Amino acid sequence: MGIFRRPREASAVAPPAISEFWEWWAQARPTIEASLAAGPEPGAPEAAVPGEGLSAETIEELSRRVHKIHAGLQWEIGGADDRNPSLTVTGGGDPGLRGITERWARAAPTGSAAAGWSFHPARQADPEMLAQDLILGDHEFDLEYVRLGMRADTDRARVHITAYHPDFLFVAEEQQLQVALNVLYWALGEDDVARWIGEVSIATEAPIDSLAPSMLPAVVEQVAEPFAEPAWLTGEGRTPRGHPARLGARFPLHRQDYPLCDLHVAVSVPYANSNPDRLPVEPSSGALRAFEKKLAKLGDRAVLAVRETGDGLRVFHLYADPDSGVVSELDQLAAGWPEGKAKVASTADPAWKALAPYQP
């Protein structure tokens, strides 16, 4: 059985704009540091812009370089007082951009070449900001007045949030949501918001039993604790031919834990021994378990997300790093399957949309 040839578009090699960015950064960093040390230009507005203190030209050039990597990316420069400077490039919560920002961060200078800077592919938790004022447009929000209603949803491994600030009565819905999201990011960090936060709603009256945002990490920790070890949800259904089907889905499975895995890979494995319902029996069921154990050894290069079984076929759904060589290994595994012709099909899916129907 031959090795399947992968189409070029399946690869997610870091775009040239990433290496170009870091070449430019090495030249521009001294100017950026000097601008930050000098502070805002005289007469500049007090708005909370990323990289406050940079010249308009530098902000424009930095934005251009980031948007050349992808138009949907955002950036911000942090670090003040006694903290080292940092540069964050983020997809703003878009899971489809998480792989790009990860590749950007992994290409960043390290050690002495970083010159004291840290680089992040997602916004980091910054609890100190929860005691500051947030300026959005012409309105200034004192974040110490923010309160969060928190409802744990253990079935979905999520915490649903109702955000309140007394000034929500006077601003548009868009600003209300911006305040809520900034508070969540500063309390947890962008990746943990994506992992554990469910629905976010706005309240113009303080929710009953609401808490300060500083309490959110403790609530999330309680919800996350039972899921420290991988678990599988199982279910039953029917195949298109009307026969029984079995489904297993890893839960919870977070995009942020496998940031380079942009590729959905379906490995379809036929089995020769089945019962009258066309479900596998020994020795096929043992062979399938052994095959799955091999998939589990692929590490961070590929994660098994879902398995579907029925009508003489088991389909393993994985998310893989297209630049790791793991897809070729999957081809080799499929080629060695002894009970029929196994197939490997891959599709770019950086937002993990194919996984959505299998999640509770």
Side-chain angles (χ1 to χ4, degrees), residues 307-331:
R307 54 176 181 256
E308 297 178 292
T309 308
D311 275 336
L313 190 70
R314 175 165 292 176
V315 181
F316 297 97
H317 296 271
L318 303 97
Y319 277 91
D321 176 359
D323 306 320
S324 67
V326 72
V327 177
S328 295
E329 292 183 38
L330 292 171
D331 283 333

Side-chain angles (χ1 to χ4, degrees), residues 61-134:
E61 181 63 12
L62 182 50
S63 297
R64 189 183 73 82
R65 295 279 178 173
V66 168
H67 292 156
K68 189 175 181 181
I69 300 171
H70 193 283
L73 297 179
Q74 306 166 12
W75 64 270
E76 60 183 42
I77 288 178
D81 302 328
D82 58 346
R83 293 189 291 177
N84 289 334
S86 65
L87 175 61
T88 299
V89 170
T90 167
D94 182 348
L97 298 177
R98 188 60 181 81
I100 293 176
T101 61
E102 186 72 19
R103 289 176 172 85
W104 169 85
R106 295 194 184 199
T110 59
S112 59
W117 284 75
S118 58
F119 305 99
H120 305 294
R123 293 178 66 181
Q124 304 296 292
D126 191 354
E128 292 183 15
M129 292 297 296
L130 298 175
Q132 306 298 318
D133 292 343
L134 174 63

Side-chain angles (χ1 to χ4, degrees), residues 3 54 64 89 132 174 204 226 275 279 281 289 294 312 330 335 338:
I3 301 302
L54 298 181
R64 189 183 73 82
V89 170
Q132 306 298 318
E174 182 180 353
T204 53
N275 61 21
L279 294 170
V281 296
R289 288 193 297 270
K294 294 178 181 179
L330 292 171

Side-chain angles (χ1 to χ4, degrees), residues 191-217:
D191 280 347
D192 270 346
V193 168
R195 288 183 182 102
W196 305 112
I197 299 302
E199 300 169 2
V200 178
S201 58
I202 301 297
T204 53
E205 294 184 3
I208 298 175
D209 298 329
S210 59
L211 299 171
S214 59
M215 299 299 296
L216 182 57

Side-chain angles (χ1 to χ4, degrees), residues 228-241:
E229 296 296 327
W232 286 82
L233 299 180
T234 59
E236 296 182 353
R238 292 282 172 180
T239 70
R241 297 179 181 178

Side-chain angles (χ1 to χ4, degrees), residues 135-154:
I135 301 173
L136 294 175
D138 58 358
H139 201 96
E140 183 173 344
F141 297 88
D142 185 341
L143 297 183
E144 291 191 316
Y145 288 98
V146 172
R147 291 295 179 268
L148 301 178
M150 308 177 195
R151 180 170 61 85
D153 184 346
T154 54

